[in-house]
Structure formats: C-alpha cells, structure tokens
Amino acid sequence: VQLQASGGGLQQAGGSLRLSCVVSGLTFSTYAMGWFRQAPGKERELVARINKRGDIPFYVTSGQGRFTISRDNAKNTVYLQMNGLKPEDTAVYYCAAAFTSSNFYTPQMPSEYRHWGQGTLVTVSS
C-alpha cells in the first residue's frame, strides 16, 4: 500500500495550495480518507476527512470555510484545497486511509487510520 502526497510548498499568507494524495495497493473506494497535519512540537491533528463515497466531508474549525476536501475514486486520489492560508497552517500534511464498511462513518482519530502517506510540507509566510 502506498499513499503519495504532493503539492506542498512555500506560500504567502492569503495564498492557496492544493494537496493531492494518490493511493495504490488497496481498493480506494472502500476507504474513508483523512488529511492530518503536524506542526513542529505539536501533536498530529485532523484537518479534514471524507467518507468513501466522497459526498460527506468534515472539517475541523480551523479549516472551516477555507479548506475543501474531495476525492476522485476513479483516480484513487484525495485532494485538499487550501485557500486563505495563514502562518499557523504551517505543518507537514499527511493523507491517511481507514477501511470502513459504512458509507457515512469517517474516523476522527489518527489511530483509526491504518495507512499513511509520507507527508508534504506546507510553509506559509506572513
């Protein structure tokens, strides 16, 4: 199983980035997907999650209205569109996959996700 995240980089505050995560080695449409981030000295935290059908996204408060998670099951890819970036968004962003039999349930805790990507660094300058 491989999760290949990309799209990170250096961006000024107020700018946008689109992260992508291409998944291989599993049946993508049977997995809920999440984006997490980890800033230096902080714990890994959930940013957004989406059910396996891709029609029920969830966001944490910090990303509400600025971030959009989506997925293309035909391309085995999950995306995170980030607009209005802030310096506090600086972190390594990870995509993760969690098998679920439910069309509605999307795990919230990192421990519920079995497969992880390598991370992509997002740096937002003020």
Side-chain angles (χ1 to χ4, degrees):
V1 178
Q2 285 193 326
L3 285 73
Q4 186 68 43
S6 62
L10 175 64
Q11 186 60 264
Q12 289 187 332
S16 299
L17 284 172
R18 188 194 196 202
L19 307 183
S20 299
C21 175
V22 180
V23 181
S24 60
L26 51 77
T27 304
F28 184 68
S29 60
T30 63
Y31 282 74
M33 297 298 297
W35 282 100
F36 293 78
R37 68 185 182 188
Q38 188 166 18
K42 295 188 176 181
E43 293 187 355
R44 190 168 298 189
E45 63 174 0
L46 177 69
V47 175
R49 52 194 172 101
I50 192 166
N51 65 326
K52 60 183 182 180
R53 292 188 313 198
D55 56 356
I56 306 177
F58 293 95
Y59 303 95
V60 298
T61 302
S62 60
Q64 193 79 34
R66 299 189 298 127
F67 294 175
T68 302
I69 187 171
S70 62
R71 64 189 291 164
D72 185 338
N73 285 355
K75 295 183 178 180
N76 286 8
T77 304
V78 60
Y79 305 96
L80 184 68
Q81 177 68 42
M82 304 187 294
N83 299 327
L85 285 165
K86 304 176 181 180
E88 51 263 44
D89 294 321
T90 295
V92 177
Y93 283 70
Y94 300 90
C95 57
F99 177 80
T100 174
S101 58
S102 170
N103 285 326
F104 306 101
Y105 176 68
T106 310
Q108 300 183 55
M109 302 300 296
S111 59
E112 298 179 272
Y113 288 80
R114 180 174 181 181
H115 304 290
W116 291 82
Q118 85 289 358
T120 184
L121 176 62
V122 172
T123 304
V124 184
S125 62
S126 57

